[in-house]
Amino acid sequence: MNIDTVDFFYVSMPEVTLEADGSQDALLVRVRAGDHEGWGECEASPLTSIAAFVTPRSHGVCQPVAASVIGERLDGPVDIRRIAALVERNSMDLLQAAHTWSGIEIALWDLLGRARDEPVWRMLGYDSSRGKVPYASLLFGADPDATRVRARDQVARGFRAVKFGWGSFGTGDPRIDGDHLVAAREGLGDDGILLVDAGQIWGDDAERASRRLAALQQARATWLEEPFVPHAFAAYAELAGQSGTVGIAGGEGAHTVHMATNLIDYGHVRFIQIDAARIGGIGPAWDVAQHAVAKGVTFVNHTFTSHLALSASLQPFAGLADHRIAEFPVEPKAVALAISTDHLRPDRNGEIHAPDAPGLGVDVDLVGLTPYLREVEILIDGEQTFRSPTVAAAAHKVKATAKA
């Protein structure tokens, strides 16, 4: 089958704040080939991602992503790899291309899985979808007392692991950060798994980051995530050499396989966290997972948005029995929850699984998204280059396919 169309749906909350919460808007991607369709999600600015798909070419290696996708043959996973190579070559100087392609690549896997009646993880070579221990991904409270309460709330909900991040952590007095860590440990109890996300706050300054290590060790934090910008390999390695019982984690900002594997090989992270919607899709994320296995590093998904994105992020390591921890968005905004009719829930053992269903196993709810849809039109010299698809036409196609 040939790829006929790629459609983008930009959705957002009525008001988007400065809160470090990526679930406030989203860019959904629908790919159609013959009678089949698949869905993906881009983890990037929606408008710039749309533009990267339709922008006029600047030169031979700065072409729109569309030039490498529309009309291409899709008969198996090897074709997804082939198209990825075309995008990488033809859009070499289009820096948003990797993020735009990520959502398309995910949708191609979903489409192929639905066409074959197979889950994506099985097409990746896994024989089963192993249970993962979800960690509740939260922002630090406004003060230590609020952090303590937030930790207790998640324990009451059944979470064994909680990650706190962003807020004021790392911006001021290390003693205040230490108070937050003490509060988080008290809220979690002795057996809870405590994870900490610094949100790249220290740039590449290993000395500033090291001032928090004693408090992290005392609080028995399992990891310190993203202390630095994703390509600061020397700073990662320096901190990793001092961190003792606290593992250094990173990788969500990687938008190529090499950025992620360099964090393993040269940054010496113990946990590599990959966002399939950023790194180029499910295939590249799987590549990093295999490299992590070979190097004795734990692979973890990065997801802070919808359950469509959560399913996509679980696929690359779904069958890895020893890579057990998974990020789980517990406080997404309403628009993120409205994206799909299916939500991944912990089972009786408190674990989540990549769905054992065709494709990603998550159905997008376009009708439910209607209140959040943004209408986009791009004109160049008065000529329409892009216009948002209508929900009515989309819903009609879905119903027609279901009847067939």
Side-chain angles (χ1 to χ4, degrees):
M1 53 187 168
N2 294 328
I3 298 172
D4 298 318
T5 60
V6 177
D7 295 315
F8 294 93
F9 297 84
Y10 173 18
V11 295
S12 77
M13 295 294 292
E15 179 184 2
V16 175
T17 72
L18 293 176
E19 184 182 12
D21 181 350
S23 70
Q24 298 183 78
D25 68 4
L27 182 64
L28 301 177
V29 184
R30 179 185 62 196
V31 177
R32 286 175 172 167
D35 293 330
H36 304 287
E37 71 177 31
W39 288 88
E41 183 176 338
C42 299
E43 176 60 25
S45 168
L47 284 178
T48 49
S49 296
I50 292 170
F53 190 75
V54 299
T55 184
R57 65 175 178 260
S58 295
H59 52 78
V61 292
C62 192
Q63 299 184 54
V65 175
S68 303
V69 176
I70 300 298
E72 289 296 320
R73 193 72 185 166
L74 179 65
D75 293 322
V78 67
D79 288 313
I80 299 179
R81 295 276 188 178
R82 177 181 55 78
I83 299 167
L86 287 175
V87 173
E88 184 175 12
R89 177 63 181 173
N90 295 334
S91 300
M92 181 188 301
D93 288 349
L94 184 62
L95 298 184
Q96 190 71 15
H99 297 297
T100 301
W101 166 245
S102 294
I104 298 169
E105 198 263 13
I106 291 168
L108 291 175
W109 279 104
D110 185 42
L111 185 154
L112 195 59
R114 291 173 185 271
R116 293 183 169 189
D117 199 31
E118 281 191 305
V120 170
W121 52 261
R122 185 167 291 135
M123 291 193 294
L124 289 170
Y126 296 126
D127 59 7
S128 63
S129 177
R130 306 288 187 133
K132 310 296 180 186
V133 177
Y135 66 82
S137 191
L138 302 169
L139 302 177
F140 275 109
D143 54 48
D145 286 338
T147 294
R148 183 183 297 105
V149 169
R150 303 195 87 189
R152 286 175 178 166
D153 287 345
Q154 297 311 314
V155 171
R157 291 182 61 184
F159 285 97
R160 290 178 269 165
V162 176
K163 184 179 81 177
F164 286 101
W166 295 76
S168 65
F169 190 86
T171 62
D173 190 335
R175 291 173 297 183
I176 297 176
D177 293 343
D179 291 341
H180 274 279
L181 295 172
V182 169
R185 172 49 65 195
E186 289 174 353
L188 285 175
D190 290 340
D191 297 330
I193 300 171
L194 173 60
L195 313 167
V196 178
D197 182 356
Q200 305 181 20
I201 192 64
W202 299 300
D204 62 353
D205 191 337
E207 193 278 329
R208 286 182 64 203
S210 68
R211 297 175 196 169
R212 278 77 177 175
L213 287 177
L216 287 160
Q217 291 166 355
Q218 185 176 357
R220 290 183 287 111
T222 296
W223 76 47
L224 174 63
E225 174 181 337
E226 282 211 309
F228 313 117
V229 293
H231 47 280
F233 306 127
Y236 271 98
E238 182 178 348
L239 190 63
Q242 307 172 38
S243 64
T245 57
V246 180
I248 304 302
E252 71 173 78
H255 53 262
T256 70
V257 169
H258 292 301
M259 283 182 69
T261 56
N262 284 345
L263 269 173
I264 294 173
D265 297 342
Y266 305 113
H268 305 309
V269 296
R270 292 186 211 168
F271 302 89
I272 189 72
Q273 303 161 294
I274 299 302
D275 195 318
R278 289 181 180 174
I279 200 169
I282 291 170
W286 182 89
D287 292 340
V288 177
Q290 304 315 301
H291 188 77
V293 170
K295 296 292 185 174
V297 169
T298 300
F299 184 95
V300 185
N301 67 305
H302 171 263
T303 312
F304 202 79
T305 55
S306 73
H307 286 257
L308 177 69
L310 176 60
S311 177
S313 75
L314 290 173
Q315 305 295 329
F317 75 125
L320 299 181
D322 297 331
H323 299 243
R324 296 263 297 142
I325 197 163
E327 183 166 27
F328 187 87
V330 295
E331 294 182 335
K333 294 293 188 287
V335 63
L337 290 174
I339 285 173
S340 66
T341 55
D342 311 283
H343 293 163
L344 279 60
R345 302 297 186 195
D347 62 17
R348 65 181 63 185
N349 296 319
E351 297 178 344
I352 58 173
H353 297 255
D356 188 2
L360 296 177
V362 174
D363 292 324
V364 170
D365 183 10
L366 277 178
V367 175
L369 278 173
T370 301
Y372 306 102
L373 283 167
R374 306 290 297 272
E375 291 188 17
V376 179
E377 184 179 21
I378 300 175
L379 302 177
I380 301 176
D381 293 333
E383 183 176 343
Q384 187 182 94
T385 302
F386 175 86
R387 185 171 185 177
S388 300
T390 64
V391 172
H396 174 75
K397 170 66 177 178
V398 171
K399 291 178 180 178
T401 302
K403 291 179 180 178

